[in-house]
Amino acid sequence: MTSETTTESPVLLVEEPEEGIALLTLNRPKARNSLSEALMAAISNALDGIVGRQDVRAVVIAAAGPVFSAGHDLKEMTAHRADPDRGRAYFTEVLATCSAMMERIVRLPQPVIAAVEGVATAAGCQLVASCDLAVAGAAARFCTPGVHIGLFCSTPMVALSRNLSRKHAMEMLLTGEMVGAEDAARFGLVNRVVPEGEALAAALALARTIAAKSPLTLRIGKRAFYEQLEMGLTEAYRYASAVMVENMLARDAEEGIGAFIEKREPNWQGR
């Protein structure tokens, strides 16, 4: 893949606004924060750098400008229709890169929270759905508009169908219509709606609450949540029971239970 070059700011801003929290800000506002090759690579690299960090307990993904993300960079993709294979190899590579980035979010040990202002469409909507939690400003809107241009949003469908009810997911995918923030909350795409302009502050507050918990417990819980979703009921209970036994034997669980009984604040050690 080629790299996006710019004389302006980086396509992704990576900050740690407070202890225990990493903030990733999509920074292509002039391009509606579309997921270019460079931006997807930057997000993936940032997540890879966070994976093993015990001091980062929660991650927030936000965006600069009035649009959260318009999805794939269609100009970048369309340029490859002139390739000898009409772009097949390039499209395959870009979609594999995007899918791997979304999977990184799900597989990341730390919880990831989307802070959404403005519009999140197509792969931008997929990005929101891939995050563990999402907070939306009241004016935020969401859609999977591929059907309008003859391109069904098949990869966004993967994330939507795992977060929304089937009928709500299908409604978004088949109609391509915009969904307001309140309906997005009702559908299960976002957790809560806050006044316009306050999504980032609310997401950081949520991250702060999460970051106060045992980092080991967060890692165990997030992984177990996604693992059991793919199992049958009996297998899921068997797996979750085994996870809970190991969790009970962890030092943080011993400390947390002891602190509860003794009515004091726990001292987490991450083990």
Side-chain angles (χ1 to χ4, degrees), residues 24-107:
L24 310 183
T25 304
L26 312 184
N27 193 39
R28 301 187 71 217
K30 293 181 180 179
R32 298 169 62 84
N33 291 315
S34 57
L35 299 176
S36 63
E37 298 176 47
L39 181 51
M40 289 190 290
I43 295 170
S44 295
N45 290 338
L47 294 173
D48 287 348
I50 290 170
V51 168
R53 290 189 55 183
Q54 296 290 331
D55 59 324
V56 176
R57 300 183 183 183
V59 177
V60 174
I61 297 181
V67 174
F68 180 78
S69 176
H72 284 291
D73 190 322
L74 295 181
K75 290 183 179 179
E76 210 173 55
M77 297 182 78
T78 299
H80 286 268
R81 286 197 179 277
D83 294 353
D85 63 354
R86 298 180 56 235
R88 178 182 293 273
Y90 180 80
F91 300 155
T92 299
E93 186 178 3
V94 165
L95 291 171
T97 297
C98 184
S99 297
M101 181 192 74
M102 301 296 177
E103 285 191 59
R104 275 181 170 85
I105 293 171
V106 176
R107 304 301 178 201

Side-chain angles (χ1 to χ4, degrees), residues 200-213:
L200 178 56
L204 288 171
L206 185 56
R208 197 175 302 121
T209 297
I210 292 169
K213 316 304 180 190

Side-chain angles (χ1 to χ4, degrees), residues 98-257:
C98 184
S99 297
M101 181 192 74
M102 301 296 177
E103 285 191 59
R104 275 181 170 85
I105 293 171
V106 176
R107 304 301 178 201
L108 192 77
Q110 298 91 336
V112 182
I113 307 166
V116 187
E117 299 283 0
V119 175
T121 63
C125 186
Q126 178 185 0
L127 178 58
V128 176
S130 296
C131 291
D132 305 300
L133 303 170
V135 177
R141 294 184 297 161
F142 307 82
C143 76
T144 49
V147 289
H148 297 318
I149 58 172
L151 183 66
F152 197 83
C153 285
S154 300
T155 45
M157 172 184 69
V158 175
L160 286 179
S161 65
R162 282 163 169 73
N163 285 268
L164 283 62
S165 70
R166 290 186 179 184
K167 285 183 169 55
H168 285 141
M170 284 295 282
E171 180 180 348
M172 290 187 69
L173 292 162
L174 291 173
T175 67
E177 294 179 352
M178 284 286 185
V179 171
E182 293 293 346
D183 279 339
R186 180 168 61 87
F187 288 4
L189 180 58
V190 303
N191 294 81
R192 59 187 67 170
V193 178
V194 297
E196 184 177 2
E198 295 184 16
L200 178 56
L204 288 171
L206 185 56
R208 197 175 302 121
T209 297
I210 292 169
K213 316 304 180 190
S214 156
L216 175 69
T217 303
L218 296 177
R219 290 166 185 263
I220 290 173
K222 177 173 174 176
R223 179 179 179 182
F225 178 83
Y226 288 110
E227 291 287 344
Q228 63 85 27
L229 279 179
E230 305 300 323
M231 301 176 183
L233 184 63
T234 300
E235 184 185 3
Y237 269 119
R238 186 181 300 115
Y239 166 76
S241 295
V243 169
M244 201 158 188
V245 167
E246 293 304 314
N247 196 170
M248 279 290 290
L249 295 172
R251 178 67 184 89
D252 273 3
E254 182 180 356
E255 166 65 13
I257 293 170

